[in-house]
Amino acid sequence: MNIVLLGAPGAGKGTQASKLEQKYNLLHISTGDIFRANIKGGTPIGKLAKSYIDAGQLVPDEVTCDIVKDRLTWQDAANGYMLDGFPRNLFQAEKLDEFAHIDLCVNISVEFSLLMDRICGRRVCSCGESYHISTLGGRTTCAKCGQPLYQRADDNPETVQARLNTYNTQTAPLIDYYKKQGKLVTVVSGEGSPDEVFVQICKEIDNFKAQQ
Ligand code: AMP
């Protein structure tokens, strides 16, 4: 089963993907994580991506699509995957349909006023875990693996505003794109816990599976 996780920055796509990965044994592919690993490794892709990421803009489509197309050919993607952060505009969605078959698009809907605080208060671990400062009680290490937590370079108010604008203009139209294909399910993430959203997503996935 191949899933697209759609949602604004801060909607909790990464958090949900980690949980779903364990439950359904689906590979989690995050284009943001791939870019960050390339930046850390100082690769040519990382050097190119950094200026776009720092500005809250999308990395050029050709580069991004080639990365995903290649990643989907790896053996570990053969049992199904979740795409987190891809596609992010119509061009990418149409390209994706040329080289992959998507079964379901899970749209995580969040009230916009909640996003700025969620993202700017986010602290992440290199193992993939993500926290909010309001729940950390001063702790600076990951509860799962003990490594130090850090704030992503693009999780600052200016860049977040640009990322939210990019989402509104370029990514939000994908909701309609997948609706027209009959593949869209929407779950709502409010003030509640990630576990509540997880239950909603699992219901949708189980429904989908039951119909196959
Ligand atoms: P994310 O971790 O998904 O929030 O992505 C962080 C940043 O990486 C985004 O703000 C973009 O600059 C870049 N990025 C991630 N996915 C894509 C994509 N599908 N297309 C273009 N740029 C992307």
Side-chain angles (χ1 to χ4, degrees):
M1 180 173 192
N2 303 328
I3 298 176
V4 164
L5 285 174
L6 204 59
K13 300 185 295 294
T15 303
Q16 295 302 326
S18 303
K19 292 162 132 345
L20 293 166
E21 189 169 34
Q22 287 170 27
K23 174 158 177 164
Y24 294 100
N25 193 27
L26 294 169
L27 177 70
H28 174 197
I29 300 174
S30 154
T31 38
D33 284 350
I34 293 172
F35 287 133
R36 282 183 286 278
N38 275 276
I39 291 172
K40 205 171 171 191
T43 70
I45 285 177
K47 284 181 185 143
L48 170 89
K50 189 173 181 327
S51 56
Y52 293 95
I53 292 177
D54 288 348
Q57 293 170 358
L58 297 184
V59 178
D61 288 334
E62 294 297 334
V63 178
T64 310
C65 291
D66 282 353
I67 288 173
V68 175
K69 186 176 179 184
D70 174 72
R71 187 64 187 84
L72 295 187
T73 64
W74 296 20
Q75 187 53 40
D76 59 357
N79 287 333
Y81 49 80
M82 285 164 298
L83 292 174
D84 160 10
F86 184 92
R88 250 177 158 102
N89 60 24
L90 279 172
F91 179 89
Q92 294 181 7
E94 285 167 1
K95 269 274 166 250
L96 176 64
D97 280 340
E98 289 172 18
F99 59 74
H101 174 81
I102 298 304
D103 297 295
L104 197 64
C105 171
V106 177
N107 174 36
I108 308 178
S109 166
V110 186
E111 205 186 295
F112 245 65
S113 62
L114 297 176
L115 293 174
M116 184 62 85
D117 171 68
R118 275 203 192 182
I119 307 176
C120 294
R122 178 160 66 184
R123 298 294 180 271
V124 294
C125 176
S126 51
C127 78
E129 279 297 292
S130 175
Y131 303 86
H132 190 272
I133 38 169
S134 62
T135 63
L136 279 169
R139 209 182 58 239
T140 57
T141 53
C142 177
K144 200 170 157 195
C145 72
Q147 293 185 86
L149 300 176
Y150 62 95
Q151 184 170 28
R152 267 171 52 173
D154 58 347
D155 281 356
N156 65 78
E158 261 178 36
T159 311
V160 171
Q161 193 53 59
R163 287 161 65 198
L164 293 176
N165 293 343
T166 302
Y167 169 80
N168 270 333
T169 54
Q170 302 201 46
T171 312
L174 297 185
I175 296 173
D176 246 20
Y177 180 85
Y178 285 108
K179 197 189 248 172
K180 280 185 187 139
Q181 291 192 354
K183 293 178 179 170
L184 185 81
V185 295
T186 294
V187 299
V188 177
S189 167
E191 310 266 4
S193 72
D195 286 342
E196 288 165 14
V197 182
F198 184 59
V199 169
Q200 292 183 60
I201 297 179
C202 292
K203 251 188 215 156
E204 296 292 354
I205 291 178
D206 293 341
N207 267 348
F208 175 85
K209 284 186 155 182
Q211 286 162 20
Q212 298 310 294

